[in-house]
Amino acid sequence: MLQVWIRVSLFLISWLSVIFLPNKKELFVRYLPVCLFSSLTVMCEIFYFTTHKLWTVKGGQKNQTHTAFLLLFGPYIVLTMWFFYLSKGKFLLYALINLVADIIYAFPIIALFKKLNVFQIKVKSIHFFLLIFADALLNFGFQKVIEKIYPKTNNYSNS
C-alpha cells in the first residue's frame, strides 16, 4: 500500500508544482513536443528494461504498467518542462540542472525506491545515471531542432 501511495503522490505533487510556472499555456505549447519525445524515449527504455527483466515492480505486470505511466506522465513530463523553463535555452545551465537532478535520482532516490519496494532496477546506478543524462542531452538537441522549425516558440525573454 505504501508503494501505491508513493507513486500516486509523486504524480500529484509534480502536477501541483505546475501552478508555480508562469505563462503555463505558452510553456505547454513550447515544450509539449520535447515532453512527448522524451516520454516516448523513456517508454522505449522501460519496455527494454522490462523485457530484459532489468526493471521490476512488486505486484506483477499490472503494477509495473501503473508505475511506468504514473512516473512518465507525472514527474518525468513535469520535470522536463521545469528544466527547460529554468534553463531558458542555455545549454550549460540545462546540463548543470540535469546533472544535479540525475545524480540525485540515480543514486539516493533509486536506492530509496528499492528499499521501499516501489521498484527495482537491476543496473548499476552509474549506468542508469549515464542513460538518463544522455536522455536529457538528447532532449535538448530535439528542442533546438523544434525551435529551428518553429522559431516563434523560441521566446525565452517572456518566461
Side-chain angles (χ1 to χ4, degrees):
M1 192 63 183
L2 175 65
Q3 296 84 4
V4 173
W5 186 85
I6 291 170
R7 290 187 285 254
V8 172
S9 295
L10 284 170
F11 180 86
L12 294 175
I13 290 168
S14 61
W15 279 104
L16 285 174
S17 77
V18 170
I19 64 174
F20 298 107
L21 280 170
N23 306 324
K24 289 168 210 37
K25 185 177 179 182
E26 293 172 27
L27 290 175
F28 274 101
V29 169
R30 183 185 305 161
Y31 299 129
L32 183 61
V34 73
C35 287
L36 295 175
F37 170 77
S38 62
S39 293
L40 181 62
T41 303
V42 171
M43 196 177 300
C44 291
E45 292 167 0
I46 289 172
F47 179 73
Y48 178 85
F49 272 49
T50 303
T51 303
H52 295 284
K53 296 181 177 34
L54 298 172
W55 182 61
T56 57
V57 176
K58 185 179 178 183
Q61 186 65 39
K62 182 178 174 184
N63 282 348
Q64 198 163 21
T65 302
H66 291 154
T67 301
F69 280 102
L70 285 172
L71 290 174
L72 269 175
F73 298 109
Y76 195 77
I77 281 182
V78 173
L79 285 174
T80 299
M81 197 166 305
W82 268 105
F83 293 171
F84 274 103
Y85 165 72
L86 292 171
S87 67
K88 307 237 186 294
K90 296 179 179 105
F91 175 74
L92 289 178
L93 184 55
Y94 177 81
L96 180 63
I97 291 168
N98 272 281
L99 181 72
V100 171
D102 292 347
I103 286 171
I104 292 169
Y105 182 58
F107 295 96
I109 291 179
I110 291 295
L112 179 64
F113 284 167
K114 284 180 182 180
K115 188 174 185 172
L116 296 174
N117 270 335
V118 176
F119 58 79
Q120 300 281 330
I121 295 179
K122 298 175 185 172
V123 295
K124 292 183 179 180
S125 292
I126 187 67
H127 296 139
F128 184 69
F129 162 75
L130 292 171
L131 175 67
I132 60 177
F133 190 67
D135 286 345
L137 298 179
L138 183 64
N139 291 343
F140 190 86
F142 181 86
Q143 180 64 20
K144 286 299 179 186
V145 169
I146 291 297
E147 289 171 1
K148 285 186 185 214
I149 295 171
Y150 303 103
K152 65 181 175 182
T153 64
N154 185 14
N155 187 2
Y156 291 102
S157 60
N158 291 338
S159 296

